[in-house]
Coordinates of all heavy atoms in Angstrom, one line a residue:
P891 N -15.8 1.6 -15.6 CA -15.4 2.8 -14.9 C -13.9 2.9 -14.9 O -13.2 1.9 -14.7 CB -16.0 2.7 -13.5 CG -17.2 1.8 -13.7 CD -16.8 0.8 -14.7
N892 N -13.3 4.1 -15.0 CA -11.9 4.3 -14.9 C -11.4 4.3 -13.5 O -11.0 5.3 -12.9 CB -11.5 5.6 -15.6 CG -10.0 5.7 -15.8 OD1 -9.3 4.8 -15.6 ND2 -9.6 6.9 -16.3
A893 N -11.6 3.1 -12.8 CA -11.2 3.0 -11.4 C -10.9 1.5 -11.1 O -11.4 0.6 -11.8 CB -12.4 3.4 -10.5
E894 N -10.1 1.3 -10.1 CA -9.7 -0.1 -9.7 C -10.8 -0.7 -8.9 O -11.6 -0.1 -8.3 CB -8.4 0.0 -8.9 CG -7.2 0.5 -9.6 CD -6.0 0.6 -8.7 OE1 -6.1 0.3 -7.5 OE2 -4.9 1.0 -9.2
F895 N -10.9 -2.1 -9.0 CA -11.8 -2.8 -8.2 C -11.3 -4.2 -8.0 O -10.4 -4.7 -8.7 CB -13.2 -2.9 -8.9 CG -13.3 -3.8 -10.0 CD1 -13.6 -5.2 -9.8 CD2 -13.1 -3.4 -11.3 CE1 -13.7 -6.1 -10.9 CE2 -13.2 -4.3 -12.4 CZ -13.5 -5.6 -12.2
V896 N -11.8 -4.9 -6.9 CA -11.6 -6.3 -6.7 C -13.0 -6.9 -6.5 O -13.8 -6.4 -5.8 CB -10.8 -6.5 -5.4 CG1 -10.8 -8.0 -5.0 CG2 -9.4 -6.0 -5.6
E897 N -13.2 -8.0 -7.2 CA -14.5 -8.7 -7.1 C -14.3 -10.0 -6.2 O -13.3 -10.7 -6.3 CB -14.9 -9.2 -8.5 CG -16.2 -10.0 -8.5 CD -16.5 -10.7 -9.8 OE1 -15.9 -11.7 -10.1 OE2 -17.3 -10.1 -10.6
V898 N -15.3 -10.2 -5.2 CA -15.2 -11.3 -4.4 C -16.5 -12.2 -4.6 O -17.5 -11.6 -5.1 CB -15.1 -11.0 -2.9 CG1 -13.8 -10.3 -2.6 CG2 -16.2 -10.0 -2.5
Y899 N -16.4 -13.5 -4.3 CA -17.5 -14.4 -4.6 C -17.7 -15.2 -3.3 O -16.7 -15.7 -2.7 CB -17.1 -15.3 -5.7 CG -18.1 -16.4 -6.0 CD1 -19.3 -16.2 -6.6 CD2 -17.7 -17.8 -5.7 CE1 -20.2 -17.2 -6.8 CE2 -18.6 -18.8 -6.0 CZ -19.8 -18.5 -6.5 OH -20.7 -19.5 -6.8
N900 N -19.0 -15.3 -2.9 CA -19.3 -16.2 -1.7 C -19.5 -17.6 -2.2 O -20.5 -18.0 -2.8 CB -20.6 -15.7 -1.1 CG -21.0 -16.4 0.1 OD1 -20.4 -17.4 0.5 ND2 -22.0 -16.0 0.8
A901 N -18.5 -18.4 -2.0 CA -18.5 -19.8 -2.4 C -19.1 -20.7 -1.4 O -19.2 -22.0 -1.7 CB -17.0 -20.3 -2.7
S902 N -19.6 -20.2 -0.3 CA -20.3 -21.1 0.7 C -21.8 -21.1 0.5 O -22.3 -20.5 -0.4 CB -19.9 -20.5 2.1 OG -20.7 -19.3 2.4
D903 N -22.4 -21.9 1.4 CA -23.9 -21.9 1.4 C -24.4 -21.1 2.6 O -25.6 -21.2 3.0 CB -24.4 -23.4 1.6 CG -23.9 -24.0 2.9 OD1 -23.1 -23.4 3.6 OD2 -24.2 -25.2 3.1
K904 N -23.6 -20.1 3.1 CA -24.0 -19.3 4.2 C -24.2 -17.8 3.7 O -23.6 -17.4 2.7 CB -22.9 -19.3 5.2 CG -22.6 -20.7 5.8 CD -21.4 -20.7 6.8 CE -20.1 -20.5 6.0 NZ -18.9 -20.7 6.9
V905 N -25.0 -17.1 4.5 CA -25.0 -15.6 4.3 C -23.9 -15.0 5.1 O -23.9 -15.1 6.4 CB -26.4 -15.1 4.7 CG1 -26.5 -13.6 4.5 CG2 -27.5 -15.8 4.0
L906 N -23.0 -14.4 4.5 CA -21.8 -13.9 5.2 C -21.9 -12.4 5.6 O -22.4 -11.6 4.8 CB -20.6 -14.0 4.2 CG -20.3 -15.4 3.8 CD1 -19.1 -15.4 2.9 CD2 -20.0 -16.4 5.0
A907 N -21.6 -12.1 6.8 CA -21.5 -10.8 7.4 C -20.1 -10.2 7.1 O -19.2 -10.7 7.7 CB -21.9 -10.8 8.8
L908 N -20.0 -9.2 6.2 CA -18.7 -8.7 5.8 C -18.2 -7.6 6.7 O -17.0 -7.1 6.5 CB -18.8 -8.3 4.4 CG -19.2 -9.4 3.3 CD1 -19.0 -8.8 1.9 CD2 -18.4 -10.6 3.5
E909 N -19.0 -7.0 7.6 CA -18.5 -5.9 8.4 C -17.3 -6.3 9.2 O -17.3 -7.3 9.8 CB -19.6 -5.4 9.3 CG -19.3 -4.2 10.1 CD -20.4 -3.6 10.9 OE1 -21.4 -4.4 11.1 OE2 -20.3 -2.5 11.4
G910 N -16.3 -5.5 9.1 CA -15.0 -5.7 9.8 C -14.0 -6.5 9.0 O -12.8 -6.6 9.4
I911 N -14.3 -7.0 7.8 CA -13.4 -7.7 7.0 C -12.4 -6.6 6.4 O -12.8 -5.5 6.0 CB -14.1 -8.4 5.8 CG1 -15.0 -9.5 6.4 CG2 -13.1 -9.1 4.9 CD1 -14.3 -10.6 7.2
G912 N -11.1 -7.0 6.3 CA -10.1 -6.0 5.8 C -9.6 -6.4 4.5 O -9.4 -7.6 4.2
L913 N -9.4 -5.4 3.6 CA -8.9 -5.6 2.2 C -7.6 -4.8 2.2 O -7.5 -3.6 2.5 CB -9.8 -5.2 1.2 CG -9.3 -5.2 -0.3 CD1 -9.1 -6.6 -0.8 CD2 -10.3 -4.4 -1.2
S914 N -6.5 -5.5 1.8 CA -5.2 -4.8 1.7 C -4.4 -5.3 0.5 O -4.7 -6.3 -0.1 CB -4.4 -5.1 3.0 OG -4.0 -6.5 3.0

Side-chain angles (χ1 to χ4, degrees):
N892 191 7
E894 298 176 357
F895 75 86
V896 170
E897 178 192 80
V898 293
Y899 174 71
N900 183 356
S902 74
D903 59 356
K904 300 174 287 188
V905 180
L906 300 179
L908 300 189
E909 184 174 13
I911 298 299
L913 174 67
S914 65

